[in-house]
Amino acid sequence: MQRLCRVLKVARSSYYSRAQAPDALALLAQIEEVLVAFPRYGYRRVTAELQRRQVAVNHKRVQRAMR
């Protein structure tokens, strides 16, 4: 991985952050779905609802996404 990033002149950290982007978009879509159903929910209730829906996410990530 290090050699590939060096050849492409891309920092390893930016490669890994881009690799997580599809997960982040899926999470945002799920958060939006919860907020449409329950518009007055904050990050704690959204986290609890996502966990009830079997989404493995913690409150810090939900809070960051909702910010």
Side-chain angles (χ1 to χ4, degrees):
M1 182 56 54
Q2 186 176 7
R3 184 181 301 167
L4 179 63
C5 288
R6 193 174 340 124
V7 169
L8 295 174
K9 297 181 181 175
V10 176
R12 282 187 298 161
S13 60
S14 63
Y15 171 80
Y16 287 113
S17 69
R18 288 186 188 127
Q20 294 175 357
D23 291 340
L25 293 177
L27 177 64
L28 285 175
Q30 291 172 327
I31 289 172
E32 187 174 333
E33 185 180 310
V34 171
L35 289 174
V36 166
F38 307 102
R40 307 210 25 108
Y41 273 15
Y43 76 92
R44 289 183 182 110
R45 287 183 176 176
V46 171
T47 303
E49 180 62 30
L50 289 173
Q51 289 172 348
R52 276 192 288 274
R53 296 179 183 195
Q54 306 299 318
V55 178
V57 66
N58 69 9
H59 70 279
K60 293 177 192 175
R61 187 166 180 199
V62 172
Q63 185 180 28
R64 205 176 318 121
M66 289 178 66
R67 203 176 291 150

